[in-house]
Amino acid sequence: MTTTAHPLVVRARRLATELLAPQAEWVDQEGVPGSHIEAVKRSGLLGVVAPVAYGGSGAPPAVLRETAEILAGACCATWFVQTQHHTPVQTLAQSELPVRERLLGPLSRGELLSGVAYAHLRAYPHVPVRVHREADGWRFDGTVPWYTGWGLNDVMMLAGMTAAGEVLFAFTEARDQPGLRASTPLRLAALTAARTVSLDLDGLWLPEEAVALRAPYAAWAPGDRARTLNAGPAVFGIAEAALSLLDEETAGPLRSRLADVRRRAYALADHPVPQERADERLAVRAEAYEMLRTATTAAVVAGGGRSMALTSRAQRLAREGLFLLVQGQTAESREAHLRALAHGEASRSAPPQ
Ligand SMILES: Cc1cc2nc3c(=O)[nH]c(=O)nc-3n(C[C@H](O)[C@H](O)[C@H](O)COP(=O)(O)OP(=O)(O)OC[C@H]3O[C@@H](n4cnc5c(N)ncnc54)[C@H](O)[C@@H]3O)c2cc1C
């Protein structure tokens, strides 16, 4: 079966056409409604890569990428809320700790939606969230700078560092509770609709049974680094959506260049050793951003002054493109992207002959 014919890809396309795309400008201004989350939960997409034994679909990465492109291109805020869920699912699928049996089923079947609070681990040796052993569990203190989906997701996978230099990931309910207080949702240049908050942790206590992963930072970091090297599917989804606003004379050549970068990005993503060819991955990632900028700029230009209306699709896509520039950014990827911009390398790819 081709990826395009996979039932979840078909379902994602239907969700995008019937619900997400028609309401995207409204959602951008008003916020992702609970009814969108319910529709995503019902669609089966939350279990796309989850194990079949737990009610998921166990689909290959190419299906996850294609569904992500479709959802992001239709409504980036809804895509972003639901994309957090796949990391907890993958963490539980690899865990041998008791929380797996409690949560992997409900998460795989889309009964519960999970958020994540772990990107701050990448600031190591700076430690924004510290974890200490306390009684029969763990105490969390510090600040999570970014947590998306507040008020929309049911549970969160929260990470911090122990004094012994281990990363520790544990699940808790995604709501204010003793030791955990969320800020008001942040007003941002894009994706305000995804309800991102910061979290103040002041003695949040979670029991040992809540722990999904505990590992030395040095053992965890290489796998995490590999996740930040590749161009993400949302970049291609938004770029495609922008191209759909153009006439064929303009869109045609851009579409061929986009397809070329996409093919190379996904070939690298499918390479069996995710840590290898890091420089090439980062260079292709920068090229993908350049195509995204070109496509969204063309959509704004084509729309003229009306592009500036908050009801215009072009400006929304351009702002969402800005957000994707920093999503998942690390010191390494930022440096590579700036180098590519400074030396004009991000736009070096020639159109295929
Ligand atoms: C709207 C929005 C929503 C987000 N939602 C989530 C979410 O739900 N869950 C989540 O986990 N993340 C979330 N993020 C974080 C996101 O995935 C990226 O990790 C983030 O954009 C990069 O972080 P930054 O720009 O704040 O970090 P910066 O502070 O710019 O750091 C970038 C990199 O620099 C390095 N660095 C920074 N500070 C130090 C230091 N003191 N010492 C050493 N190295 C350092 C690290 O490598 C770090 O990764 C969100 C981000 C945004 C903008």
Side-chain angles (χ1 to χ4, degrees), residues 2 19 71 93 104 133 176 194 213 256 262 272 275 296:
T2 65
L19 181 70
L71 297 184
L104 187 51
R133 195 166 261 301
D176 278 331
L213 171 68
S256 322
R262 181 178 185 269
Q275 283 88 357
T296 53

Side-chain angles (χ1 to χ4, degrees), residues 1 47 67 85-86 139 143 168 196 224 238 279 348:
M1 188 198 309
T67 55
H85 183 88
H86 303 299
R139 175 193 164 112
T143 303
L168 188 140
T196 299
D224 177 63
I238 301 265
D279 289 347
R348 91 188 142 186

Side-chain angles (χ1 to χ4, degrees), residues 161-185:
M161 291 279 299
T162 69
E166 298 162 311
V167 297
L168 188 140
F169 287 70
F171 281 87
T172 186
E173 285 182 38
R175 57 170 175 80
D176 278 331
Q177 50 186 299
L180 186 162
R181 204 151 36 96
S183 71
T184 52

Side-chain angles (χ1 to χ4, degrees), residues 104-139:
L104 187 51
L107 262 55
S108 300
R109 295 189 295 270
E111 292 158 15
L112 294 176
L113 174 68
S114 181
V116 283
Y118 83 103
H120 50 273
L121 291 178
R122 297 176 182 148
Y124 185 76
H126 177 64
V127 180
V129 177
R130 294 184 183 276
V131 191
H132 295 102
R133 195 166 261 301
E134 191 174 281
D136 209 5
W138 298 91
R139 175 193 164 112

Side-chain angles (χ1 to χ4, degrees), residues 80 84 116-120 122-126 145-148 188 190-191 196 323 326-332 334:
F80 191 54
Q84 313 298 329
V116 283
Y118 83 103
H120 50 273
R122 297 176 182 148
Y124 185 76
H126 177 64
W146 306 102
Y147 176 77
T148 291
L188 304 164
L191 280 281
T196 299
F323 161 72
V326 295
Q327 191 231 336
Q329 187 185 62
T330 62
E332 181 184 27
R334 171 162 47 205

Side-chain angles (χ1 to χ4, degrees), residues 7-353:
L8 284 179
V9 173
V10 173
R11 231 170 287 162
R13 201 165 285 120
R14 191 175 319 134
L15 189 64
T17 329
E18 293 176 2
L19 181 70
L20 302 185
Q23 297 191 18
E25 281 69 45
W26 177 85
V27 166
D28 178 54
Q29 294 303 308
E30 302 297 329
V32 174
S35 49
H36 273 39
I37 299 302
E38 289 309 315
V40 170
K41 282 179 167 174
R42 279 195 305 273
S43 70
L45 288 163
L46 293 178
V48 54
V49 289
V52 174
Y54 286 80
S57 290
V63 171
L64 177 64
R65 287 196 299 251
E66 188 150 350
T67 55
E69 279 191 24
I70 294 166
L71 297 184
C75 178
C76 192
T78 302
W79 162 77
F80 191 54
V81 171
Q82 68 77 49
T83 198
Q84 313 298 329
H85 183 88
H86 303 299
T87 304
V89 165
Q90 285 159 346
T91 305
L92 285 172
Q94 288 161 18
S95 176
E96 289 172 358
L97 297 172
V99 69
R100 170 188 168 116
E101 295 311 314
R102 178 162 64 89
L103 284 179
L104 187 51
L107 262 55
S108 300
R109 295 189 295 270
E111 292 158 15
L112 294 176
L113 174 68
S114 181
V116 283
Y118 83 103
H120 50 273
L121 291 178
R122 297 176 182 148
Y124 185 76
H126 177 64
V127 180
V129 177
R130 294 184 183 276
V131 191
H132 295 102
R133 195 166 261 301
E134 191 174 281
D136 209 5
W138 298 91
R139 175 193 164 112
F140 289 73
D141 291 281
T143 303
V144 173
W146 306 102
Y147 176 77
T148 291
W150 186 254
L152 295 171
N153 39 41
D154 305 290
V155 294
M156 75 166 84
M157 187 175 74
L158 169 67
M161 291 279 299
T162 69
E166 298 162 311
V167 297
L168 188 140
F169 287 70
F171 281 87
T172 186
E173 285 182 38
R175 57 170 175 80
D176 278 331
Q177 50 186 299
L180 186 162
R181 204 151 36 96
S183 71
T184 52
L186 304 172
R187 289 183 47 78
L188 304 164
L191 280 281
T192 293
R195 295 184 66 86
T196 299
V197 294
S198 60
L199 301 175
D200 181 38
L201 302 169
D202 182 12
L204 172 70
W205 184 85
L206 300 179
E208 185 67 43
E209 304 83 74
V211 175
L213 171 68
R214 186 176 151 202
Y217 181 82
W220 171 82
D224 177 63
R225 172 182 178 247
R227 295 161 61 98
T228 64
L229 298 173
N230 296 313
V235 171
F236 299 107
I238 301 265
E240 271 292 343
L243 294 186
S244 75
L245 302 178
L246 302 173
D247 63 33
E248 209 33 50
E249 198 184 332
T250 318
L254 294 179
R255 195 166 281 126
S256 322
R257 279 161 57 192
L258 185 67
D260 173 52
V261 180
R262 181 178 185 269
R263 184 186 49 73
R264 286 184 286 127
Y266 288 174
L268 284 167
D270 287 335
H271 184 275
V273 189
Q275 283 88 357
E276 274 183 11
R277 299 167 73 176
D279 289 347
E280 190 182 348
R281 291 172 193 272
L282 288 167
V284 172
R285 180 180 155 118
E287 276 188 69
Y289 283 140
E290 190 59 19
M291 280 312 304
L292 173 64
R293 186 189 62 78
T294 304
T296 53
T297 302
V300 169
V301 170
R306 276 167 302 160
S307 294
M308 289 300 102
L310 286 175
T311 49
S312 136
R313 183 148 296 185
Q315 58 80 34
R316 175 178 61 79
L317 295 170
R319 288 187 290 107
E320 290 168 349
L322 279 183
F323 161 72
L324 293 180
L325 296 178
V326 295
Q327 191 231 336
Q329 187 185 62
T330 62
E332 181 184 27
S333 66
R334 171 162 47 205
E335 201 180 300
H337 193 181
L338 289 174
R339 212 172 32 242
L341 288 169
H343 300 290
E345 289 164 12
S347 52
R348 91 188 142 186
S349 68
Q353 300 301 307

